[in-house]
Amino acid sequence: MQQSNRKPTMSSDFIPFHKPAIGEEEIRSVVETLKSGWLTTGPKVKTLEAEFASYIGCSHAVAVNSGTAALHLALEAVGIKSGDEVIVPTMTFTATAEVVLYLGARPVLVDCSTDDLNIDVDRVEAAISSRTKAIIPVHIAGRPCAMDEILAIARRHGLQVIEDAAHALPASYHGRKIGSIGDITCFSFYATKTMTTGEGGMATTENPDWAKRMRMMSLHGISHDAWNRYTKEGSWYYEVISPGFKYNLTDLAAALGIEQLKKCDQFYEARRQIAHRYDEAFRDVPGIQIPASAANVQHAWHLYIIELELEQLRIGRPAFIEALNHHNVGTSVHFIPLHLHPFYRDKFGYKPEDFPGAGKVFPRIISLPIYPGMTEANVDDVITAVLQITKEHRR
Ligand SMILES: Cc1ncc(COP(=O)(O)O)c(C=O)c1O
C-alpha cells in the first residue's frame, strides 16, 4: 500500500475496482523482448515456467495464453471425454464449466458453502455418478478450498482433482502452496489477477505425462514447440500427434510475467494489509459481514468480498453498489452463479432453488477494490463510503 498523509474524506477521484501494478521493470523487460526479435514462445516462456515451478514448489509448470486454456488442457490431459461428468461449483466464472463442455462432457453443478463461497464439500458426493471423472474446486477470492476433504472424496471415487486457482496466487493450504496439491492446478494471469501477463495462464502438476501432453496440445498437438523448431539446434521435422490447440504463451507476455512473479510476495503483502484494514473497519458493523477467517490457510486476497446483511438494511445490493459508485468507489460481483445464467439454466434445467447456498449469498455479495496500487487514502475512502452507506440505510 502506498503512503499518504491525506485525511479520510469522500474520494474526489474515482477508485477503480482494479488497476494492474505495472512498474518500470515490466516495461523494460517487455521492450527488451521486443528488441530481441523473439516475440512468440521462446526463452522468456521457459524462464517463466522454471521460475513459477520453483516459486510454487512443483515439478512441472506449463505456460499458456489464458487460465481457461490451462483448464481445458488439464481436463484433456487427464482424459475427460464426451459423455463424462465433471463436478463444478455453481459459484464461479463460466470458464470453469465451459471447458468441460469443450470436451463434450457435462459440468455437474454443486452449491457453495455460505461460510466461504467455496464448493460445499458436504454436497459433492451426492453429485457423483458412474460417469463422473473429475472435480474442479475453485478457490474463490483466493481462499483455499477444503482440499483434504476434496482429495479424500476424489480418491474414494477414483476422480481427478483439477484446481481452478485463477484467484489463488499465492495461497497455501496446511503449509503447502496451492499449485502443489491437486492433480493439476490452473492459474490465470488475466489483467485483474494477482499477477498478470495481460492474458495468460499456467498449469502445474507433478505428473510428467500430463505436463508433456498439455505442452504438446497447447501448440497444435505437434511434437516440438517453436523454440525447438526454429533455432539452429532445432529440427525442421515435426509430427502432429493429435489435433491440438493454439494456446501457447508469447515471450512478450512472459517478459511481463517474469517481472510480476518477482513481486508476487510484495503484492500479496500489500493486499493482505488492505484486507486487514477492511476487516478491522467492518468487523462489528451491523449490516456488513466480512469474509470468515480460516485456520491453517493463506488466503491470496485476490478479492475482498463483503456480504450485506440485507435484513438489517433498507437497500439491496444494486442500490448499495450504485451508492458506492456515487462515492467514487468501483466494485464488482463475484460471481453470478452459473445456474442463474440462461445457458446453464436452459441446457441443464437448473432451477434457482436447486442451490440454496448460492441463492442466499448471491444477492448479498460485493467485491471491494483491493490491489497494491491503492494508497492508504484510497483504502480510507472505501471504508468511509461503505460505513456511510451502511449507516444511512440501516433499518
Ligand atoms: C474462477 C475463474 N476461473 C477461470 C478464469 C479464467 O481465466 P482467464 O481469464 O485467464 O481465461 C477466471 C477469470 O477470469 C476466473 O475468475
Side-chain angles (χ1 to χ4, degrees), residues 66-68 71 92-93 95-96 138 164 166-167 188-190 193 200 335:
S66 74
T68 308
L71 286 165
T92 187
F93 185 55
T96 319
V138 182
D164 181 337
H167 301 183
S188 165
F189 304 148
Y190 180 64
K193 298 299 193 279
F335 288 96

Side-chain angles (χ1 to χ4, degrees), residues 277-314:
R277 294 270 331 270
Y278 287 160
D279 275 352
E280 292 304 301
F282 305 141
R283 188 184 309 283
D284 298 316
V285 176
I288 303 289
Q289 199 179 303
I290 61 171
S293 59
N296 229 348
V297 301
Q298 177 179 303
H299 190 317
W301 293 116
H302 164 52
L303 302 172
Y304 188 93
I305 303 178
I306 56 167
E307 277 182 49
L308 302 180
E309 294 170 328
L310 294 173
E311 310 72 24
Q312 311 213 34
L313 299 171
R314 282 181 287 102

Side-chain angles (χ1 to χ4, degrees), residues 3 30 69 95 99 116 144 150 161 186 217 246 251 256 295 353 374:
Q3 298 295 310
V30 171
V99 292
D116 62 11
I150 290 168
V161 175
C186 301
M217 292 301 277
K246 185 71 168 86
D251 259 26
L256 177 50
E353 57 272 27
M374 287 179 81

Side-chain angles (χ1 to χ4, degrees), residues 17-18 271 274-275 278 301-304 368-372 374:
F17 172 65
H18 184 78
R271 292 192 309 278
I274 297 169
Y278 287 160
W301 293 116
H302 164 52
L303 302 172
Y304 188 93
L368 299 179
I370 181 165
Y371 47 92
M374 287 179 81

